[in-house]
Amino acid sequence: GGNNGAWWGSPAYVAGQVGQAFSFDGASAVVVPHNANLDFGTGDFSGSLWVKTTSPDVFLIEKDIPGVGANDWFVHLTGSGRVRFVIGPGGDPSAVSSVAVNDGQFHHVVWVRQGTTISVYIDGVLRGQGSIPSGADVSSGYRLSIGAEVQDGADILTHRLVGAIDE
C-alpha cells in the first residue's frame, strides 16, 4: 500500500512471466520513495521477482545507502551472474546462489530473512544460505530502487540492469 515507484529514464515494458514486465535498458530504474512499511527492522521478511537478463554485476532491487553500508539490504547479480542477497554493512553477510541466472531466460528469484538465516531460492529450489548477526536492523529510511543502484547525493545510477523484471 502506497509504495508507488517512478521511472528514472525512459519507461518501457515487455512481455513478462506474468503479464507485462519492466524493461530496463541500462540507463533506467524504478525508484520508490521511502515509506516506513518498507523498513523491516530486525524482523523476518521475504521478497520475490522474475528476472530475465544476460547482464553480470547488476542490482535487481535495493534498499541501500551506497557508501554507508548500514541498515541496508539488496539483491544483486555477481560478476558470474549468481544471485547475492545481502543484509548489513560492506556487502556482508550474504547468501549467494550456487547457480547463475543471467542466461537470457526468466528465473524466479526469492530472498528470505528468517531469524539469523538468509536464503536465496532460484526457480523454487534453495540455492544459497548465509548467517547474519542477531538483531541486524534493516530500517534505513532510504528509498527502494529496482533495476539499478542509486548513488546518494548525485542521484547517479550504477550497476544498471539490461533486461526485464516482473512481479
Side-chain angles (χ1 to χ4, degrees), residues 38-140:
L38 294 173
D39 283 339
F40 304 122
T42 59
D44 296 343
F45 71 97
S46 63
S48 71
L49 55 77
W50 290 89
V51 63
K52 179 179 181 179
T53 188
T54 56
S55 299
D57 192 27
V58 294
F59 274 67
L60 302 180
I61 187 168
E62 58 128 6
K63 193 156 189 326
D64 175 30
I65 305 172
V68 176
N71 303 89
D72 57 7
W73 65 270
F74 57 86
V75 180
H76 169 262
L77 294 189
T78 67
S80 60
R82 295 172 186 223
V83 176
R84 184 170 167 239
F85 173 35
V86 177
I87 287 183
D92 286 313
S94 65
V96 181
S97 70
S98 59
V99 297
V101 298
N102 62 340
D103 60 3
Q105 303 297 312
F106 269 109
H107 292 279
H108 191 227
V109 176
V110 176
W111 56 95
V112 178
R113 174 197 179 150
Q114 187 171 21
T116 59
T117 302
I118 55 176
S119 306
V120 173
Y121 294 81
I122 307 297
D123 298 325
V125 178
L126 177 63
R127 296 292 189 171
Q129 282 192 311
S131 295
I132 59 174
S134 179
D137 188 348
V138 294
S139 295
S140 69

